[in-house]
Amino acid sequence: MASDSKSFARRDRLLEIEVAVRKLWEDEQVFRAESRENLPKEGEKFFSTFPFPYMNGYLHIGHAFSLSKVDFASAYHRLRGANVLLPFGFHCTGMPIKASADKLSREIQQFGNPPVFTAEDNTKVVAEVEEESSDTPALPGQFKGKKSKVAAKSGGQVYQWEIMRSFGLTDSEIAEFQDPYKWLYYFPPLAVEDLKAYGLGCDWRRSFVTTDVNPFFDAFVRWQMRKLKSMGKIVKDRRYTVFSPLDGQPCADHDRATGEGVQPQEYTLIKMEVVKPFPLKLGPLEGKNVYLAAATLRPETMYGQTNAWVLPDGKYGAYEISETDVFILTERAALNLAYQNFSKIPQKPSCLVELTGHDLIGLPLRSPLSVTDIIYALPMMTILTNKGTGIVTSVPSDAPDDYMALKDLNDKPDFQKKFGVKQEWLPSEIIPIINIPEFGDRAAEKVCLDLKIKSQNDKEKLVEAKRLTYLKGFTEGTMLIGEFVGRKVQEIKPIIKTKLIESGEAIIYSEPEKPVMSRSGDECVVALTDQWYITYGETEWRNMAEECLSKMNLYSEETRHGFEHTLSWLNQWACSRSFGLGTRIPWDEQFLVESLSDSSLYMAYYTVAHFFHGGEDMYKGSKSLIQPQQMNDEVWEYLFCDGPYPKSSDIPSAEKILFRII
């Protein structure tokens, strides 16, 4: 025992020093930052902030790793004599906490309180946790729950109760977390303890939590939203948005378990009419207009359609779009359409007949713009049913995939026989539609020959073939057919799309670029929603942002490129939601302010937070010299926007504090 004790003496001594130094820092208020009036002279200032972490669990090693950069930089400037402000707040706005609380409630309803999971359930949980965490180092001590935390972001595949147990909570304690506000009061104080143990050089008087449990921050966000609206920067609009059907609201980045940064992808959905008489399987659809619905990104190529493709073993359905129209496509695509107002029952796909790809092979079709009057549905083995509609138009002169699939059918009689393909269904010729420099008017055939592609299963080579031809075809290709002969593809692409939609031969269809899972555990769709948006892409704002970026001293060109990329696509950003925690939109209180929109200016709040919260209370400001209702827009304007001095006679204490702040 003696030898064991001696071996830890140096470590124990270091720990003693650490405790003593932390106490010294606190007693001497080393990290408190005051405004310049309270300093002997004005000198260099350094203000550093860290993206405030979300409070649906403990802080973890990733936070410490990133925070170390801010902490070290602050210490460096402090040693140089600068007046350094390093604050730290806690984010609770949005749906992750509410979603987790609701998961606990559902698990109690399903499995009891405390829940009793079957052996099979527990085996599944362990396997998924390990799989999700295979590349994540385990954390020591109380942070051993990191694996479960990672798995928790995988779309609800792990029970929330198990995640909470991994935090070291008892079953009776876990049950209390069905109330989402329990999370707000439980985890932030523990985070403060951990950060103090870490040794963060922070002015803790300025810490705060978001949502309406903090009436001062709530008032700050309300002012922010009212100001943006008065400037014309917030508008109400209908647009395509990634949406969680389970939560019944848009699913922003912070609300996603997977798919951060994924945006809606817009397609032109081509209505390929099924020619009557219908086969027996489609008998229940008599009297309806029935279409195979094919999603395309290249409507200008529809002149060259020779057939349609279906996945033989794919699952399809005939879905009611309206009283008269029926679309044949996958269930996934039908769900997206239902949330875009293309369903007889809004937001609920109505399937009249369940089908497979085998049922569709050989269907005669009339397709918009095709120079061939009747084309047929044929089998293609490489169709993905988790993208698009599962129905694909075939343009073999321009699309390498189509060219090789058609070549396989023509060259392999056994393949035709297997799927009952008749010779008369096969197109007799390839139809040139676009001339591309270096590739000619049969670009797909040339690039497949150049790359020695053998079949439709040469996926990597086909990806390369499309890379070589598609962009060049768009930027340099000229039309050889139709009313726009001789014109550049990039000029007439939007024109053809508009004509197809206006004629009723196509509709706009949108879906997520990649799969998105909400933190509630369901796969998201794209919905056409009516909500409030911040117009970040407005010309004046974007020009100001670009000018600011040009003056910024960045340490990496990669960082600058990241900013430039974001400015290039950021346009309207949904700032309202109907589910979760946060601040109500002042003029439309059925909505909450979206979690990223309430955190765009929180760094400014740090500069005054210590006056509102009395240096102790992160929540309701019980020690404050001023009341939340006194913080009207006039006061916020004076604090942050050089507004006129507040004249209201009912805020004498505010005047006193404002003098001290400014």
Side-chain angles (χ1 to χ4, degrees):
M1 292 294 294
S3 60
D4 289 343
S5 176
K6 184 177 180 181
S7 66
F8 291 109
R10 181 174 297 180
R11 181 204 65 181
D12 293 342
R13 177 57 182 151
L14 290 172
L15 291 173
E16 289 175 7
I17 295 172
E18 178 185 320
V19 172
V21 170
R22 281 170 47 200
K23 185 177 186 305
L24 176 66
W25 288 345
E26 187 170 346
D27 292 344
E28 297 294 326
Q29 301 179 357
V30 172
F31 302 122
R32 287 197 175 193
E34 303 293 351
S35 58
R36 59 179 178 265
E37 272 73 17
N38 295 326
L39 294 173
K41 64 177 181 177
E42 183 176 358
E44 180 183 342
K45 293 177 288 186
F46 185 79
F47 181 16
S48 59
T49 63
F50 178 84
F52 54 6
Y54 198 80
M55 286 289 97
N56 59 339
Y58 295 121
L59 299 181
H60 53 75
I61 196 67
H63 291 114
F65 175 78
S66 298
L67 185 59
S68 65
K69 281 80 171 166
V70 176
D71 193 26
F72 295 170
S74 299
Y76 168 75
H77 286 279
R78 191 179 293 111
L79 288 171
R80 294 181 63 252
N83 183 21
V84 174
L85 171 57
L86 171 55
F88 201 96
F90 304 97
H91 201 201
C92 303
T93 304
M95 67 166 281
I97 287 174
K98 182 66 165 63
S100 297
D102 289 350
K103 283 182 186 177
L104 290 175
S105 297
R106 290 195 297 269
E107 288 167 13
I108 286 175
Q109 293 172 10
Q110 185 174 357
F111 300 106
N113 186 7
V116 178
F117 305 119
T118 66
E120 181 180 350
D121 292 329
N122 286 325
T123 300
K124 179 174 181 289
V125 168
V126 171
E128 287 171 341
V129 169
E130 290 180 349
E131 181 179 355
E132 289 291 333
S133 309
S134 60
D135 296 326
T136 305
L139 301 180
Q142 64 175 317
F143 300 117
K144 64 184 179 182
K146 172 62 175 167
K147 285 188 176 182
S148 295
K149 188 177 178 73
V150 172
K153 293 189 69 177
S154 64
Q157 297 175 328
V158 176
Y159 291 114
Q160 186 65 40
W161 204 279
E162 295 287 346
I163 296 168
M164 304 304 283
R165 280 174 176 166
S166 76
F167 291 158
L169 296 168
T170 65
D171 284 339
S172 60
E173 289 173 322
I174 294 172
E176 298 177 14
F177 285 84
Q178 295 176 81
D179 176 4
Y181 286 94
K182 172 70 176 179
W183 301 66
L184 278 61
Y185 288 100
Y186 184 82
F187 285 110
L190 293 177
V192 171
E193 288 182 19
D194 289 337
L195 289 166
K196 286 183 176 180
Y198 164 88
L200 181 65
C202 177
D203 186 346
W204 290 111
R205 300 171 303 159
R206 301 172 188 266
S207 292
F208 64 90
V209 298
T210 64
T211 78
D212 54 4
V213 304
N214 179 344
F216 289 99
F217 188 75
D218 190 67
F220 173 74
V221 174
R222 284 174 172 267
W223 162 71
Q224 176 186 339
M225 299 301 288
R226 281 192 291 262
K227 184 169 184 64
L228 289 173
K229 189 169 188 293
S230 70
M231 295 168 62
K233 305 300 187 184
I234 294 181
V235 298
K236 201 166 192 180
D237 196 5
R238 290 180 64 80
R239 64 189 289 267
Y240 294 98
T241 305
V242 176
F243 190 91
S244 167
L246 183 60
D247 297 327
Q249 67 175 10
C251 190
D253 274 359
H254 280 198
D255 305 325
R256 301 176 187 178
T258 61
E260 184 173 347
V262 171
Q263 297 292 317
Q265 172 71 67
E266 184 180 293
Y267 294 86
T268 305
L269 196 150
I270 304 297
K271 297 164 63 174
M272 310 173 80
E273 184 181 5
V274 179
V275 178
K276 298 177 181 179
F278 296 155
L280 184 62
K281 188 74 175 184
L282 302 187
L285 307 180
E286 285 293 342
K288 304 279 189 181
N289 301 319
V290 181
Y291 303 92
L292 264 61
T296 182
L297 296 171
R298 311 175 73 213
E300 72 280 2
T301 67
M302 293 302 97
Y303 294 103
Q305 295 173 91
T306 59
N307 60 282
W309 297 116
V310 298
L311 182 67
D313 293 328
K315 293 182 179 180
Y316 299 89
Y319 292 90
E320 284 187 290
I321 301 302
S322 65
E323 290 288 346
T324 58
D325 290 0
V326 173
F327 285 1
I328 295 176
L329 34 61
T330 60
E331 180 181 13
R332 174 186 161 280
L335 182 62
N336 276 276
L337 281 172
Y339 277 87
Q340 295 164 32
N341 299 332
F342 289 108
S343 181
K344 186 176 179 181
I345 305 173
Q347 300 186 356
K348 291 184 179 179
S350 176
C351 184
L352 300 178
V353 183
E354 292 183 354
L355 301 161
T356 69
H358 287 280
D359 299 321
L360 306 178
I361 294 172
L363 284 181
L365 309 166
R366 286 194 180 93
S367 192
L369 298 185
S370 175
V371 298
T372 304
D373 183 43
I374 300 293
I375 62 176
Y376 294 88
L378 299 174
M380 187 183 204
M381 309 307 297
T382 58
I383 291 176
L384 300 176
T385 55
N386 62 352
K387 193 170 183 64
T389 63
I391 306 292
V392 179
T393 60
S394 175
V395 186
S397 64
D398 199 65
D401 286 323
D402 297 340
Y403 175 79
M404 290 311 305
L406 202 57
K407 190 172 187 304
D408 283 350
L409 263 181
N410 278 302
D411 293 349
K412 301 175 181 178
D414 290 344
F415 194 47
Q416 296 179 30
K417 185 177 180 181
K418 177 181 179 180
F419 295 110
V421 174
K422 297 180 180 179
Q423 189 63 38
E424 58 265 30
W425 297 347
L426 298 176
S428 57
E429 61 178 347
I430 291 176
I431 303 167
I433 52 172
I434 298 172
N435 183 64
I436 305 174
E438 299 178 25
F439 293 98
D441 60 5
R442 294 163 66 105
E445 180 180 31
K446 184 178 190 309
V447 74
C448 287
L449 289 172
D450 290 347
L451 296 179
K452 298 181 172 56
I453 298 174
K454 301 299 183 184
S455 78
Q456 61 185 301
N457 296 317
D458 289 346
K459 296 180 181 179
E460 291 186 8
K461 287 186 176 182
L462 284 169
V463 168
E464 175 64 9
K466 287 181 282 188
R467 186 191 69 79
L468 291 171
T469 57
Y470 280 6
L471 179 60
K472 195 174 184 65
F474 173 72
T475 57
E476 301 183 37
T478 53
M479 297 298 297
L480 298 173
I481 196 170
E483 60 181 303
F484 301 105
V485 171
R487 293 184 63 178
K488 291 282 189 179
V489 169
Q490 60 182 331
E491 295 174 5
I492 57 90
K493 181 188 186 86
I495 300 174
I496 292 176
K497 176 181 177 179
T498 300
K499 283 181 172 290
L500 286 169
I501 292 169
E502 290 179 347
S503 68
E505 297 173 296
I507 62 172
I508 293 175
Y509 166 71
S510 194
E511 66 181 28
E513 296 168 318
K514 298 177 182 177
V516 176
M517 298 295 293
S518 79
R519 290 180 186 265
S520 295
D522 70 315
E523 184 172 356
C524 292
V525 298
V526 166
L528 187 60
T529 59
D530 184 13
Q531 63 183 111
W532 295 100
Y533 296 90
I534 300 178
T535 59
Y536 285 115
E538 187 267 327
T539 303
E540 181 184 0
W541 250 11
R542 179 172 293 181
N543 290 341
M544 290 172 63
E546 290 173 345
E547 182 181 355
C548 180
L549 177 60
S550 69
K551 299 176 181 178
M552 290 175 66
N553 179 25
L554 302 175
Y555 292 95
S556 167
E557 280 303 303
E558 183 180 353
T559 302
R560 185 177 301 278
H561 295 158
F563 277 118
E564 291 171 344
H565 173 69
T566 299
L567 289 174
S568 72
W569 65 258
L570 186 59
N571 188 18
Q572 288 188 345
W573 183 272
C575 62
S576 62
R577 60 186 315 98
S578 55
F579 174 83
L581 305 176
T583 293
R584 294 284 168 185
I585 288 187
W587 61 87
D588 194 355
E589 294 210 355
Q590 65 174 313
F591 291 112
L592 292 156
V593 178
E594 180 264 339
S595 58
L596 288 179
S597 301
D598 90 334
S599 60
S600 58
L601 290 177
Y602 72 92
M603 294 72 70
Y605 187 80
Y606 281 132
T607 65
V608 296
H610 58 310
F611 292 106
F612 300 147
H613 302 295
E616 296 180 14
D617 192 342
M618 292 190 293
Y619 301 90
K620 297 184 181 300
S622 59
K623 303 282 186 179
S624 179
L625 301 175
I626 185 172
Q627 298 304 310
Q629 61 268 25
Q630 295 174 306
M631 296 303 298
N632 57 31
D633 287 2
E634 192 177 29
V635 177
W636 292 115
E637 287 288 330
Y638 178 64
L639 281 174
F640 296 115
C641 298
D642 296 325
Y645 186 80
K647 301 296 184 183
S648 304
S649 59
D650 62 338
I651 54 169
S653 56
E655 294 185 12
K656 179 180 178 182
I657 288 176
L658 292 174
F659 271 127
R660 292 171 61 192
I661 294 171
I662 304 302

